[in-house]
Structure formats: structure tokens, C-alpha cells
Amino acid sequence: RCSVLVTEKLESVQLPDYVAEHWATMSDEKKKTFLEAMGKTARRVHNKPVNFPDLYAWHYFVREEGEGYDFDLIDLHRMQRRMVFPQYFSENLGALLFSMPDPLFTPDDISSLLDGYFAGDTSERRAAMLPKIQQRAKKLRKRKAKSLKAEWGL
């Protein structure tokens, strides 16, 4: 058995490549805008509702849109539709946080990403999900430290 998916060429840049080229020269405000847009992209996926277990930073492709950013996502083959279980969303966000290594991304950067994701939510929902998100990120860091360094060229 073989599956083939043909799509149009993305007019965007893989996130690690974009960060390597632009991050050091971006203002704090531009970084915040960038990270909030990343969080909003993850939230749009979850609002479908879709479970995306491979929600890693290197699956984001960046496109500048005026003063902001838009993102394409790749490697969708493990996505599951109609998944409304909050633990999946926490696990997906944990994978995303795992894939954004310190010192490239500071705790303030991660907070900006989560601000984008939780925009419009209650602080209680964020507080309830945050420990699960952090636990998943920590677990993945223990298991996949080498692959993380390879993806970012560290």
C-alpha cells in the first residue's frame, strides 16, 4: 500500500530557518507578534477540533503578512479529526513547547505564544492546562533531546 499527497508549493520558510535568519535582529514587539500568531495558529487547529500530535515548531512554515505573520503546517498525517478531549490539546501544546529550545526561546517568549493560544479564554482554563502542557514538554525533552538539537542545529 502506498499513499501520495500532492499539494501546492508553500511560499513560506520553515520556522527554524526563519528564526536563524531573523530572530537576533527582531524587536521584542515583533517577536511577541510572531509568537502570539504561532499560538493562534495552534488554537485554530484545536478549534476545528483536531488533535495534532506532531505540533512541533519545525512543522510550522512562516510567511510574513504585512506587519504580522501567518503559518502553514506540514506533516499532518497523524492528525485526528473531531477530537475534543482537552488532554490532547495539552499534549499538542507540550510538544510545541518542547520543540522551542531555551536559550532561543525564553520563558517570556513561551508566555507570548501561550497568550496567543489562550486569547479570549478564562485564566482558569489556562491555569488548568498549563501544568499538563509543561509536564508533556518536560517528558519529551528527556526522551528526545538529541532530535531537538538536530532540528535546530544546536
Side-chain angles (χ1 to χ4, degrees):
R1 246 178 122 179
C2 181
S3 296
V4 176
L5 174 66
V6 178
T7 64
E8 64 187 65
K9 180 181 177 186
L10 295 176
E11 299 298 329
S12 48
V13 178
Q14 190 176 26
L15 190 135
D17 295 335
Y18 187 89
V19 167
E21 186 175 337
H22 300 283
W23 202 250
T25 60
M26 288 172 69
S27 69
D28 289 343
E29 191 57 40
K30 286 294 272 185
K31 287 179 182 179
K32 183 174 177 53
T33 299
F34 180 92
L35 293 160
E36 285 177 353
M38 276 185 72
K40 288 175 184 175
T41 299
R43 183 57 179 262
R44 280 196 311 271
V45 168
H46 287 163
N47 283 344
K48 291 293 178 198
V50 171
N51 174 30
F52 187 8
D54 294 326
L55 186 65
Y56 299 116
W58 48 85
H59 289 161
Y60 273 77
F61 277 65
V62 183
R63 186 174 55 256
E64 294 178 2
E65 295 281 325
E67 293 297 311
Y69 301 92
D70 198 13
F71 297 92
D72 298 306
L73 297 171
I74 64 163
D75 268 358
L76 311 177
H77 64 281
R78 292 196 325 139
M79 286 179 95
Q80 298 169 307
R81 298 167 82 206
R82 294 182 281 288
M83 301 303 285
V84 294
F85 305 110
Q87 74 266 18
Y88 289 139
F89 300 157
S90 296
E91 288 177 6
N92 294 174
L93 289 171
L96 182 56
L97 267 54
F98 145 76
S99 69
M100 299 176 69
D102 188 24
L104 282 177
F105 300 99
T106 67
D108 285 343
D109 293 336
I110 298 302
S111 183
S112 293
L113 182 137
L114 293 173
D115 288 346
Y117 182 87
F118 288 109
D121 266 343
T122 63
S123 58
E124 291 83 12
R125 181 164 190 254
R126 182 175 178 150
M129 287 180 67
L130 193 55
K132 295 171 188 167
I133 294 167
Q134 291 169 329
Q135 180 181 13
R136 177 69 173 160
K138 184 178 179 181
K139 182 178 178 180
L140 288 170
R141 278 189 195 103
K142 283 184 180 178
R143 276 193 5 221
K144 298 184 172 198
K146 285 183 183 177
S147 67
L148 178 63
K149 289 179 180 179
E151 288 294 341
W152 287 95
L154 300 174

